[in-house]
Amino acid sequence: MDDVLQKYLPDLAVAPCFTLIQQHGVHLKIVSHRVTRHGDYRKLPNGLHQITVNASLNKYRFLITLVHEIAHLVAFEKYGRFIKPHGLEWKNTFQHMMIPFIRPEIFPSKLLPIIANHFKNPKASSSTDARLSIALKAFDIEERKNNYVFELPIGSTFRLYNGRLFKKGKKRVKRYECIELSTGRLYLFQPNAEVELIHDAHIEPPF
């Protein structure tokens, strides 16, 4: 297992992650890319703790995702199965479990302050923290082919991975109002949502 982890994690994170996996009886499955999630945790009917993580993640997002999912397991085991999945118990568990990893030997120096700020109050997904998500994306191996919503000009048309078309509107406090063209319904998009620009225009400054 540690040989496998070597491929997906920063070098100095391999041993402590392997210890966590052994300590908590995790059956780790590294799976193909999923658009809607980076990873998940399930307790199977046979009692096995199964965690899946996308193989497509870069090493830093893979580490955060793996610890995120193990924190679900630990929080449920400690506080019971009826806690909120991303409630206070999980947040405290996740924070505590990430502390040993938030150091310059594991994360690049330009990521550390952004990660430290994120873990003051960790979100349900690293993708919902726009600044962290964009900072992590810079370490992806594959070149980014799409645009972030915040990069697009107001009034531009864009397409999601599932083919749905939207028109970008004004920014609220953190998210952007976007109208689905086929239904006229209003949706709010995170600034770091990746989309395909259909109708080009002038690029507005970052959020």
Side-chain angles (χ1 to χ4, degrees):
M1 172 61 77
D2 53 347
D3 291 338
V4 175
L5 293 176
Q6 195 78 42
K7 179 181 177 181
Y8 295 101
L9 291 168
D11 289 344
L12 293 182
V14 172
C17 283
F18 185 53
T19 298
L20 286 175
I21 289 169
Q22 287 187 311
Q23 180 182 351
H24 298 290
V26 171
H27 176 62
L28 176 63
K29 292 180 65 176
I30 299 171
V31 300
S32 300
H33 178 73
R34 295 167 294 182
V35 174
T36 57
R37 67 186 68 189
H38 299 312
D40 60 23
Y41 159 68
R42 287 194 302 154
K43 187 172 183 178
L44 303 179
N46 62 4
L48 189 70
H49 298 289
Q50 178 178 286
I51 285 174
T52 64
V53 182
N54 291 2
S56 56
L57 304 182
N58 67 52
K59 291 188 174 187
Y60 308 113
R61 196 186 290 275
F62 192 101
L63 170 58
I64 292 171
T65 301
L66 177 60
V67 179
H68 173 126
E69 301 304 338
I70 297 176
H72 279 304
L73 186 167
V74 174
F76 282 134
E77 293 290 293
K78 182 176 181 180
Y79 299 104
R81 306 297 296 184
F82 298 104
I83 62 171
K84 293 181 179 180
H86 296 104
L88 185 60
E89 298 88 352
W90 171 81
K91 287 177 184 282
N92 290 340
T93 302
F94 192 19
Q95 287 171 324
H96 177 75
M97 293 179 66
M98 276 299 299
I99 287 173
F101 297 100
I102 304 176
R103 53 194 181 97
E105 295 87 355
I106 291 178
F107 287 103
S109 58
K110 63 182 180 180
L111 268 182
L112 277 174
I114 301 172
I115 289 172
N117 185 67
H118 173 83
F119 279 97
K120 291 178 181 177
N121 183 25
K123 306 294 190 294
S125 169
S126 59
S127 292
T128 57
D129 182 334
R131 294 191 182 278
L132 176 60
S133 181
I134 291 169
L136 288 170
K137 199 74 179 175
F139 295 91
D140 285 354
I141 296 174
E142 291 186 7
E143 183 179 351
R144 180 164 62 94
K145 299 177 181 178
N146 294 328
N147 295 93
Y148 294 124
V149 165
F150 80 82
E151 296 175 320
L152 306 182
I154 290 177
S156 60
T157 301
F158 62 86
R159 178 163 46 214
L160 297 186
Y161 67 94
N162 57 12
R164 295 166 67 186
L165 294 174
F166 292 82
K167 184 175 183 179
K168 179 181 174 180
K170 65 182 181 180
K171 183 181 180 183
R172 292 194 181 179
V173 177
K174 292 185 177 181
R175 296 185 288 178
Y176 288 90
E177 296 180 354
C178 299
I179 301 292
E180 185 174 20
L181 297 185
S182 64
T183 65
R185 293 181 62 184
L186 176 67
Y187 292 83
L188 295 178
F189 277 74
Q190 292 283 357
N192 61 306
E194 289 191 59
V195 298
E196 179 187 355
L197 177 63
I198 302 300
H199 175 70
D200 203 352
H202 296 294
I203 301 298
E204 63 179 0
F207 62 97

